[in-house]
Amino acid sequence: MRDRPVVIGMRRPHPTAMRIAMREAVAGRTFVQVVHCCAASDADRGRLVLESMRPHASLPERRTPPVGFRLTTAGVVDALERASRASRLLVVGCADATWFTQLRGSDVVARLARHADSPVMVVPHDEREPGRPGRVVLGGGRAAVGAATVRFALEQARDRATVVVVGREAADGATAPVLAELAGEFPDVAIDVHDRPGPRVVAGDLVVLERPEDRSVPFAWSLDPLVATTVTTAVERRCAIGIVPGDGR
């Protein structure tokens, strides 16, 4: 993974997404690639957008990873889908919840969340980082959550020095063997099982879910009802959401 960058697709300055991308790069011992897409006729403005992010390309509390800035005239979906094929993580910002509630061909975030080869982290533009890292909430219901998604959640919790929160339905159901197998690889990560069927989401949490197989309907319609409730709350509370391609997909 060390030669696979963390890619951030940026339409406008997004300091929180930039910090998240850089911390991911530090954890993965890799670099950040900032990508901004614009029409050839708008290249000057595109360069100004990239320049506006350079002051945010540092981490005061830890080592700062290398950060590259790339301007491209390719279509934003094509450019970021290509970048995701060789990336550790794709970070994108969103202004609203339409990527989750609607199915529109013009919605860049919805398209990338459904089709990117790498995990995608969706960060609301008005998301505020809490004073301390929030929890990692694993979105799971009756169906088994794959190993790739569980591993991603555990890695995120390890890197954030926090816990993984799991609802009772997933912890006692088909996901239980996967959790038990992978938990041993992350001895410093506590798994907090809530007595409720699904975990309660609070501001500052990162919600991790497996990408649904059905891509013909909005996310909100294609998820297990418990997972849909968890993600709906996360969207309402402006939490970051990590979407992981399922095992073998």
Side-chain angles (χ1 to χ4, degrees):
M1 284 286 194
R2 295 189 182 187
D3 59 343
R4 303 180 66 184
V6 174
V7 175
I8 173 171
M10 190 190 66
R11 185 176 64 179
R12 56 180 171 138
H14 196 331
T16 300
M18 187 71 162
R19 286 193 295 272
I20 288 174
M22 288 191 293
R23 288 169 182 157
E24 288 293 323
V26 169
R29 299 181 181 180
T30 185
F31 62 100
V32 175
Q33 180 72 65
V34 181
V35 178
H36 178 64
C37 305
C38 67
S41 60
D42 209 17
D44 288 343
R45 179 181 176 278
R47 282 188 281 270
L48 289 175
V49 172
L50 286 179
E51 285 300 319
S52 72
M53 286 303 294
R54 289 187 185 275
H56 303 287
S58 63
L59 292 174
E61 76 278 15
R62 65 178 80 181
R63 178 175 61 89
T64 297
V67 180
F69 294 84
R70 179 184 167 214
L71 183 68
T72 176
T73 56
V76 59
V77 170
D78 288 342
L80 294 178
E81 279 191 341
R82 283 199 302 270
S84 76
R85 294 170 194 156
S87 69
R88 168 187 173 90
L89 176 70
L90 175 61
V91 180
V92 292
C94 69
D96 54 41
T98 55
W99 71 271
F100 178 66
T101 59
Q102 301 178 23
L103 188 63
R104 298 186 305 180
S106 60
D107 194 316
V108 172
V109 175
R111 169 75 187 186
L112 294 170
R114 289 173 175 279
H115 296 280
D117 287 354
S118 69
V120 175
M121 192 173 295
V122 180
V123 184
H125 279 291
D126 59 354
E127 196 260 1
R128 296 289 183 268
E129 290 182 299
R132 58 181 181 178
R135 310 164 308 164
V136 175
V137 177
L138 178 63
R142 294 179 179 83
V145 178
T149 305
V150 173
R151 182 181 296 279
F152 182 83
L154 290 165
E155 288 174 344
Q156 290 294 316
R158 177 197 62 198
D159 298 340
R160 293 163 178 249
T162 188
V163 302
V164 172
V165 179
V166 185
R168 179 64 63 185
E169 188 85 24
D172 291 346
T175 305
V178 182
L179 279 168
E181 179 180 352
L182 292 179
E185 299 181 23
F186 298 85
D188 296 330
V189 176
I191 298 178
D192 182 3
V193 178
H194 277 208
D195 287 334
R196 305 167 43 143
R200 187 172 70 91
V201 178
V202 299
D205 285 347
L206 165 66
V207 173
V208 174
L209 67 143
E210 188 160 290
R211 186 169 68 195
E213 293 185 31
D214 187 352
R215 305 179 196 180
S216 63
V217 296
F219 261 88
W221 299 4
S222 57
L223 296 172
D224 177 286
L226 281 174
V227 181
T229 298
T230 298
V231 179
T232 298
T233 304
V235 168
E236 291 172 349
R237 296 183 177 170
R238 313 301 289 167
C239 297
I241 299 173
I243 300 134
V244 184
D247 298 341
R249 283 186 273 150

